[in-house]
């Protein structure tokens, strides 16, 4: 019925093709479209859903590229979802004999809670939603919210799940910290609402953000709540989910690369190191009050790394408190501004130089302050963007 000619001898391959034609046997001659009576497509296998991609044999590499794109877009849960429909098919047909009604049903199932539960790997809950939908018919579609970490700025640091969420969003509520490069990957016709907050001057209150999420989800939209870095690290993601849970709105969470991890990587600072640091802490230095409640004695221990978020305004205080509680004045510090972005700037100094750096260094938010022995490694291990400035060089220039 079917033959594949894959020898390295083109005469043999041509002969196979000719014999095949004579005997009505389908033949594929590998990489020779003219001799082939069928072509083997590239496939994306989410069985029972299978997507075949073919360039008719003229551009297999391009077909493979398209396959890779689809692989990343169509996640594994599509297989489970298709399987679920397979199991329910006859019941669905019986419940919705009218074709138009049946189509409405499927629309709702693939875009709504059934698919959402499958993505969240909750098969029982997905069955439950399916049953409810089959028994009660199409009710107004409930939307859901995906809380997505956008990472520190470099769009390459988005996860595949984040990309999928962005490409399927109807509405995107994003923070100011989310880079334009990341936003440009979102679905073109998604409505974008900036709810950015400046340190100090709150642009949109938290209550208003909650209200927007609720309104759009209740209107049946796929809402993406997009936050810089990771949504659960100093991102108020917890509060937003508590609010959604209270109001019965379904949600998912896509983690992102948090600033400490990204800034460490992009500045050449391993946050832990066998020789220099056995632990890492992520600490907020947001304002006077939070600075007072920190456990400075613990933070002043040697051989550990502390990543201070939101520390620009408190730079001088950070240095003073740590030294005051016993950390060596010469402890290395790296200040990473705009980590992972083209304009990234790294400044290397010591704890005792922080106060001067705060006055004269022109440090701007967003910046992450990494304190600990490992910070010195940036001098040797930096690889991204401009070379680090050192405090000594800055002072000499002044
Ligand atoms: N959820 C975010 C943090 C929000 S708090 C995360 O996980 O990264 C905002 C603080 O994060 C900023 O004040 C700054 O300290 C830090 N930050 C965020 N993006 C940054 C970047 N690209 N470079 C340096 N610091 C960054």
């Amino acid at each position: 019925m079917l033959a594949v000619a894959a020898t390295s001898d083109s005469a043999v391959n041509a002969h196979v093709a000719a014999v095949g034609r004579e005997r009505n046997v389908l033949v594929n001659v590998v990489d020779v479209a003219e001799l082939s009576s069928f072509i083997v497509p590239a496939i994306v296998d989410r069985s029972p859903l299978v997507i075949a991609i073919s360039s008719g044999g003229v551009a297999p590499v391009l077909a493979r590229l398209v396959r890779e794109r689809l692989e990343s877009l169509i996640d594994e849960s599509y297989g489970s979802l298709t399987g679920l429909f397979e199991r329910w098919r006859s019941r669905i047909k019986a419940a919705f004999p009218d074709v138009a009604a049946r189509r409405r049903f499927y629309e709702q199932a693939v875009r709504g809670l059934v698919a959402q539960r499958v993505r969240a790997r909750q098969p029982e809950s997905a069955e439950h939603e399916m049953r409810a939908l089959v028994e009660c018919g199409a009710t107004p579609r409930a939307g859901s919210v995906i809380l997505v970490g956008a990472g520190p700025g470099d769009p390459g640091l988005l996860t595949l799940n984040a990309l999928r969420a962005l490409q399927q969003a109807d509405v995107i509520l994003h923070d100011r910290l989310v880079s334009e490069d990341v936003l440009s990957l979102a679905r073109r016709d998604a409505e974008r609402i900036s709810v950015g907050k400046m340190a100090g001057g709150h642009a949109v209150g938290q209550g208003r953000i909650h209200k927007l999420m609720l309104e759009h989800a209740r209107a049946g939209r796929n809402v993406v709540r997009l936050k810089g870095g990771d949504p659960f690290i100093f991102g108020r993601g917890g509060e937003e989910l508590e609010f959604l849970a209270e109001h019965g709105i379904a949600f998912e969470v896509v983690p992102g690369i948090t600033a400490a991890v990204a800034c460490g990587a992009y500045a050449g600072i391993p946050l832990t190191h066998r020789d220099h640091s056995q632990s890492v802490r992520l600490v907020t230095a947001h304002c006077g009050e939070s600075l007072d409640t920190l456990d400075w004695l613990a933070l002043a221990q040697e051989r550990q790394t502390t990543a201070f978020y939101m520390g620009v305004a408190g730079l001088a205080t950070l240095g003073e408190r740590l030294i005051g509680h016993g950390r060596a004045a010469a402890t290395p510090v790296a200040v990473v501004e705009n980590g992972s972005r083209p304009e990234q700037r790294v400044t290397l100094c010591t704890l005792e130089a922080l106060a001067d750096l705060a006055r004269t260094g022109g440090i701007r938010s967003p910046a992450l302050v990494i304190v600990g022995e490992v910070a010195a490694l940036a001098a040797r291990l930096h690889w991204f963007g401009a070379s680090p400035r050192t405090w000594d060089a800055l002072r000499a220039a002044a």
Side-chain angles (χ1 to χ4, degrees):
M1 273 170 59
L2 186 148
V4 175
T7 77
S8 53
D9 184 331
S10 54
V12 171
N13 290 349
H15 183 65
V16 172
V19 172
R21 257 195 314 277
E22 260 164 39
R23 304 192 186 169
N24 262 340
V25 172
L26 292 172
V27 179
N28 173 264
V29 179
V30 172
D31 287 345
V32 189
E34 312 84 74
L35 292 182
S36 302
S37 46
F38 74 95
I39 280 166
V40 183
I43 64 165
V44 175
D45 188 357
R46 300 287 182 263
S47 294
L49 177 74
V50 177
I51 305 167
I53 303 126
S54 167
S55 62
V58 298
V61 175
L62 190 65
R64 216 176 310 134
L65 184 91
V66 171
R67 184 183 72 90
E68 280 164 18
R69 297 244 164 109
L70 291 175
E71 279 280 358
S72 62
L73 208 58
I74 313 281
D75 67 61
E76 301 291 337
S77 75
Y78 279 79
S80 316
L81 187 60
T82 320
L84 184 64
F85 284 129
E86 191 177 22
R87 288 197 299 285
W88 278 81
R89 200 176 141 83
S90 54
R91 276 175 282 179
I92 293 168
K93 212 167 168 185
F96 303 97
D98 173 56
V99 177
R102 193 152 73 232
R103 184 172 316 125
R104 273 197 304 279
F105 165 87
Y106 274 113
E107 280 284 332
Q108 193 164 6
V110 295
R111 291 176 198 279
L113 283 181
V114 174
Q116 199 266 348
R117 300 294 197 245
V118 172
R119 279 200 304 276
R121 306 295 190 269
Q122 296 180 324
E124 280 169 23
S125 179
E127 289 276 345
H128 174 84
E129 293 296 342
M130 184 74 114
R131 182 167 301 113
L133 201 56
V134 171
E135 283 168 6
C136 310
T139 46
R141 181 167 81 85
S144 64
V145 176
I146 311 187
L147 188 58
V148 177
D154 178 351
L157 296 180
L158 281 179
T159 63
L160 287 178
N161 283 352
L163 189 64
R164 285 173 196 132
L166 284 174
Q167 297 190 341
Q168 281 154 21
D170 298 314
V171 183
I172 299 172
L173 302 173
H174 65 90
D175 285 348
R176 187 183 52 92
L177 266 183
V178 174
S179 72
E180 198 47 47
D181 289 346
V182 167
L183 285 171
S184 69
L185 294 174
R187 216 182 94 198
R188 288 279 146 86
D189 48 355
E191 182 185 350
R192 290 190 201 172
I193 305 174
S194 170
V195 293
K197 275 175 285 191
M198 301 286 194
H202 289 232
V204 177
Q206 195 64 34
R208 175 93 186 110
I209 295 175
H210 289 177
K211 210 165 145 254
L212 281 169
M213 288 194 299
L214 191 61
E215 274 172 20
H216 286 290
R218 285 204 170 141
R221 306 200 178 102
N222 294 324
V223 180
V224 164
R225 172 73 179 102
L226 190 62
K227 289 167 173 291
D230 179 86
F232 282 177
I233 305 285
F234 308 128
R236 306 188 76 165
E239 290 162 55
E240 293 179 7
L241 292 196
E242 280 170 335
F243 174 83
L244 294 173
E246 239 166 66
H247 290 80
I249 302 289
F251 55 78
E252 293 163 68
V253 183
V254 179
I257 296 197
T258 191
V261 170
C263 291
Y266 279 65
I269 302 173
L271 297 181
T272 69
H273 189 294
R274 244 150 57 114
D275 300 332
H276 308 296
S277 168
Q278 271 75 50
S279 69
V280 193
R281 282 174 210 243
L282 310 185
V283 175
T284 166
H286 184 36
C287 52
E289 252 170 75
S290 72
L291 284 179
D292 286 335
T293 55
L294 289 176
D295 183 353
W296 291 102
L297 262 183
L299 295 176
Q301 300 291 316
E302 283 189 349
R303 298 173 63 78
Q304 62 167 338
T305 309
T306 309
F308 288 100
Y309 287 68
M310 297 172 271
V312 173
L315 269 188
T317 319
L318 287 184
E320 279 160 25
R321 298 276 169 102
L322 286 170
I323 295 173
H325 288 79
R327 191 111 195 214
T331 305
V333 176
V335 181
V336 184
E337 298 167 79
N338 286 304
S340 89
R341 302 177 180 213
E343 62 275 27
Q344 170 174 303
R345 181 168 73 167
V346 180
T347 309
L348 302 179
C349 66
T350 57
L351 272 186
E352 70 186 335
L354 263 184
D356 283 342
L357 182 68
R359 255 189 301 110
T360 60
I363 303 291
R364 290 256 194 64
S365 186
L368 189 91
V369 184
I370 302 177
V371 177
E373 291 74 8
V374 289
L377 291 169
R380 273 191 292 139
L381 302 184
H382 75 84
W383 58 273
F384 179 82
S387 302
R389 311 188 291 173
T390 64
W391 173 242
D392 291 339
L394 271 179
R395 211 174 25 189

